[in-house]
PDB file of all heavy atoms in Angstrom:
ATOM      1  N   VAL Z 610      88.749  90.064  85.457  1.00 91.00           N
ATOM      2  CA  VAL Z 610      90.110  90.651  85.729  1.00 91.00           C
ATOM      3  C   VAL Z 610      90.891  90.789  84.507  1.00 91.00           C
ATOM      4  O   VAL Z 610      91.631  91.847  84.366  1.00 91.00           O
ATOM      5  CB  VAL Z 610      90.844  89.631  86.736  1.00 91.00           C
ATOM      6  CG1 VAL Z 610      92.304  90.004  86.871  1.00 91.00           C
ATOM      7  CG2 VAL Z 610      90.101  89.543  88.054  1.00 91.00           C
ATOM      8  N   GLY Z 611      90.793  89.961  83.570  1.00 90.00           N
ATOM      9  CA  GLY Z 611      91.467  90.086  82.208  1.00 90.00           C
ATOM     10  C   GLY Z 611      91.138  91.316  81.550  1.00 90.00           C
ATOM     11  O   GLY Z 611      91.987  92.031  81.066  1.00 90.00           O
ATOM     12  N   VAL Z 612      89.754  91.567  81.466  1.00 92.00           N
ATOM     13  CA  VAL Z 612      89.349  92.782  80.849  1.00 92.00           C
ATOM     14  C   VAL Z 612      89.827  94.078  81.527  1.00 92.00           C
ATOM     15  O   VAL Z 612      90.272  95.024  80.905  1.00 92.00           O
ATOM     16  CB  VAL Z 612      87.784  92.815  80.751  1.00 92.00           C
ATOM     17  CG1 VAL Z 612      87.295  94.121  80.187  1.00 92.00           C
ATOM     18  CG2 VAL Z 612      87.331  91.653  79.884  1.00 92.00           C
ATOM     19  N   CYS Z 613      89.712  94.050  82.903  1.00 90.00           N
ATOM     20  CA  CYS Z 613      90.190  95.215  83.662  1.00 90.00           C
ATOM     21  C   CYS Z 613      91.680  95.501  83.440  1.00 90.00           C
ATOM     22  O   CYS Z 613      92.124  96.606  83.432  1.00 90.00           O
ATOM     23  CB  CYS Z 613      89.885  94.983  85.170  1.00 90.00           C
ATOM     24  SG  CYS Z 613      88.142  95.110  85.518  1.00 90.00           S
ATOM     25  N   LEU Z 614      92.509  94.418  83.352  1.00 90.00           N
ATOM     26  CA  LEU Z 614      93.913  94.614  83.102  1.00 90.00           C
ATOM     27  C   LEU Z 614      94.212  95.308  81.864  1.00 90.00           C
ATOM     28  O   LEU Z 614      95.162  96.135  81.741  1.00 90.00           O
ATOM     29  CB  LEU Z 614      94.588  93.226  83.178  1.00 90.00           C
ATOM     30  CG  LEU Z 614      94.816  92.573  84.476  1.00 90.00           C
ATOM     31  CD1 LEU Z 614      95.294  91.171  84.407  1.00 90.00           C
ATOM     32  CD2 LEU Z 614      95.838  93.458  85.369  1.00 90.00           C
ATOM     33  N   ILE Z 615      93.393  94.996  80.753  1.00 91.00           N
ATOM     34  CA  ILE Z 615      93.639  95.732  79.494  1.00 91.00           C
ATOM     35  C   ILE Z 615      93.324  97.206  79.635  1.00 91.00           C
ATOM     36  O   ILE Z 615      94.071  98.060  79.137  1.00 91.00           O
ATOM     37  CB  ILE Z 615      92.813  95.038  78.373  1.00 91.00           C
ATOM     38  CG1 ILE Z 615      93.302  93.766  78.049  1.00 91.00           C
ATOM     39  CG2 ILE Z 615      92.745  96.007  77.105  1.00 91.00           C
ATOM     40  CD1 ILE Z 615      94.674  93.688  77.336  1.00 91.00           C
ATOM     41  N   PHE Z 616      92.277  97.510  80.385  1.00 90.00           N
ATOM     42  CA  PHE Z 616      91.899  98.860  80.567  1.00 90.00           C
ATOM     43  C   PHE Z 616      93.036  99.652  81.272  1.00 90.00           C
ATOM     44  O   PHE Z 616      93.359 100.787  81.020  1.00 90.00           O
ATOM     45  CB  PHE Z 616      90.582  99.080  81.323  1.00 90.00           C
ATOM     46  CG  PHE Z 616      89.330  98.788  80.482  1.00 90.00           C
ATOM     47  CD1 PHE Z 616      88.302  97.927  80.887  1.00 90.00           C
ATOM     48  CD2 PHE Z 616      89.313  99.227  79.190  1.00 90.00           C
ATOM     49  CE1 PHE Z 616      87.273  97.708  80.112  1.00 90.00           C
ATOM     50  CE2 PHE Z 616      88.242  98.958  78.332  1.00 90.00           C
ATOM     51  CZ  PHE Z 616      87.107  98.255  78.858  1.00 90.00           C
ATOM     52  N   ILE Z 617      93.538  98.993  82.350  1.00 86.00           N
ATOM     53  CA  ILE Z 617      94.591  99.541  83.185  1.00 86.00           C
ATOM     54  C   ILE Z 617      95.834  99.765  82.276  1.00 86.00           C
ATOM     55  O   ILE Z 617      96.419 100.852  82.280  1.00 86.00           O
ATOM     56  CB  ILE Z 617      94.982  98.636  84.350  1.00 86.00           C
ATOM     57  CG1 ILE Z 617      93.786  98.633  85.401  1.00 86.00           C
ATOM     58  CG2 ILE Z 617      96.232  99.171  85.080  1.00 86.00           C
ATOM     59  CD1 ILE Z 617      93.993  97.564  86.462  1.00 86.00           C
ATOM     60  N   CYS Z 618      96.184  98.785  81.532  1.00 84.00           N
ATOM     61  CA  CYS Z 618      97.403  98.958  80.565  1.00 84.00           C
ATOM     62  C   CYS Z 618      97.124 100.056  79.569  1.00 84.00           C
ATOM     63  O   CYS Z 618      98.066 100.833  79.240  1.00 84.00           O
ATOM     64  CB  CYS Z 618      97.606  97.601  79.797  1.00 84.00           C
ATOM     65  SG  CYS Z 618      98.405  96.367  80.843  1.00 84.00           S
ATOM     66  N   SER Z 619      95.937 100.172  79.095  1.00 87.00           N
ATOM     67  CA  SER Z 619      95.641 101.311  78.110  1.00 87.00           C
ATOM     68  C   SER Z 619      95.778 102.629  78.811  1.00 87.00           C
ATOM     69  O   SER Z 619      96.290 103.574  78.158  1.00 87.00           O
ATOM     70  CB  SER Z 619      94.240 101.076  77.539  1.00 87.00           C
ATOM     71  OG  SER Z 619      93.226 101.488  78.478  1.00 87.00           O
ATOM     72  N   PHE Z 620      95.401 102.751  79.983  1.00 86.00           N
ATOM     73  CA  PHE Z 620      95.504 104.086  80.649  1.00 86.00           C
ATOM     74  C   PHE Z 620      96.990 104.407  81.014  1.00 86.00           C
ATOM     75  O   PHE Z 620      97.385 105.540  80.880  1.00 86.00           O
ATOM     76  CB  PHE Z 620      94.722 103.975  81.947  1.00 86.00           C
ATOM     77  CG  PHE Z 620      93.242 103.863  81.772  1.00 86.00           C
ATOM     78  CD1 PHE Z 620      92.457 103.168  82.720  1.00 86.00           C
ATOM     79  CD2 PHE Z 620      92.623 104.463  80.772  1.00 86.00           C
ATOM     80  CE1 PHE Z 620      91.078 103.066  82.538  1.00 86.00           C
ATOM     81  CE2 PHE Z 620      91.194 104.354  80.529  1.00 86.00           C
ATOM     82  CZ  PHE Z 620      90.417 103.578  81.470  1.00 86.00           C
ATOM     83  N   GLN Z 621      97.685 103.414  81.342  1.00 78.00           N
ATOM     84  CA  GLN Z 621      99.111 103.589  81.632  1.00 78.00           C
ATOM     85  C   GLN Z 621      99.903 103.905  80.458  1.00 78.00           C
ATOM     86  O   GLN Z 621     100.833 104.798  80.498  1.00 78.00           O
ATOM     87  CB  GLN Z 621      99.763 102.265  82.365  1.00 78.00           C
ATOM     88  CG  GLN Z 621      99.172 101.965  83.722  1.00 78.00           C
ATOM     89  CD  GLN Z 621      99.582 100.628  84.144  1.00 78.00           C
ATOM     90  OE1 GLN Z 621     100.288  99.832  83.448  1.00 78.00           O
ATOM     91  NE2 GLN Z 621      99.311 100.244  85.479  1.00 78.00           N
ATOM     92  N   SER Z 622      99.658 103.238  79.382  1.00 78.00           N
ATOM     93  CA  SER Z 622     100.335 103.490  78.099  1.00 78.00           C
ATOM     94  C   SER Z 622     100.132 104.807  77.481  1.00 78.00           C
ATOM     95  O   SER Z 622     100.987 105.363  76.876  1.00 78.00           O
ATOM     96  CB  SER Z 622      99.915 102.398  77.044  1.00 78.00           C
ATOM     97  OG  SER Z 622     100.176 101.057  77.562  1.00 78.00           O
ATOM     98  N   THR Z 623      98.987 105.319  77.792  1.00 81.00           N
ATOM     99  CA  THR Z 623      98.571 106.645  77.100  1.00 81.00           C
ATOM    100  C   THR Z 623      98.653 107.844  78.065  1.00 81.00           C
ATOM    101  O   THR Z 623      98.245 108.940  77.654  1.00 81.00           O
ATOM    102  CB  THR Z 623      97.096 106.483  76.481  1.00 81.00           C
ATOM    103  OG1 THR Z 623      96.225 106.146  77.628  1.00 81.00           O
ATOM    104  CG2 THR Z 623      97.043 105.442  75.449  1.00 81.00           C
ATOM    105  N   GLY Z 624      99.188 107.609  79.279  1.00 76.00           N
ATOM    106  CA  GLY Z 624      99.476 108.719  80.158  1.00 76.00           C
ATOM    107  C   GLY Z 624      98.182 109.132  80.917  1.00 76.00           C
ATOM    108  O   GLY Z 624      98.176 110.264  81.523  1.00 76.00           O
ATOM    109  N   LYS Z 625      97.180 108.345  80.989  1.00 81.00           N
ATOM    110  CA  LYS Z 625      95.985 108.658  81.726  1.00 81.00           C
ATOM    111  C   LYS Z 625      96.102 108.174  83.176  1.00 81.00           C
ATOM    112  O   LYS Z 625      95.570 107.207  83.687  1.00 81.00           O
ATOM    113  CB  LYS Z 625      94.774 107.919  81.119  1.00 81.00           C
ATOM    114  CG  LYS Z 625      94.540 108.249  79.669  1.00 81.00           C
ATOM    115  CD  LYS Z 625      93.996 109.687  79.473  1.00 81.00           C
ATOM    116  CE  LYS Z 625      93.641 110.023  78.026  1.00 81.00           C
ATOM    117  NZ  LYS Z 625      94.815 110.043  77.067  1.00 81.00           N
ATOM    118  N   ALA Z 626      96.887 108.980  83.885  1.00 74.00           N
ATOM    119  CA  ALA Z 626      97.346 108.664  85.277  1.00 74.00           C
ATOM    120  C   ALA Z 626      96.224 108.493  86.188  1.00 74.00           C
ATOM    121  O   ALA Z 626      96.134 107.528  86.950  1.00 74.00           O
ATOM    122  CB  ALA Z 626      98.339 109.701  85.742  1.00 74.00           C
ATOM    123  N   LEU Z 627      95.287 109.425  86.258  1.00 80.00           N
ATOM    124  CA  LEU Z 627      94.131 109.423  87.221  1.00 80.00           C
ATOM    125  C   LEU Z 627      93.244 108.206  86.971  1.00 80.00           C
ATOM    126  O   LEU Z 627      92.899 107.520  87.855  1.00 80.00           O
ATOM    127  CB  LEU Z 627      93.372 110.677  87.129  1.00 80.00           C
ATOM    128  CG  LEU Z 627      92.127 110.770  88.139  1.00 80.00           C
ATOM    129  CD1 LEU Z 627      92.696 110.700  89.534  1.00 80.00           C
ATOM    130  CD2 LEU Z 627      91.391 112.106  87.836  1.00 80.00           C
TER     131      LEU Z 627
END
Side-chain angles (χ1 to χ4, degrees):
V610 173
V612 174
C613 288
L614 283 170
I615 289 294
F616 285 138
I617 292 172
C618 286
S619 70
F620 296 145
Q621 293 170 355
S622 302
T623 58
K625 302 289 185 290
L627 182 59

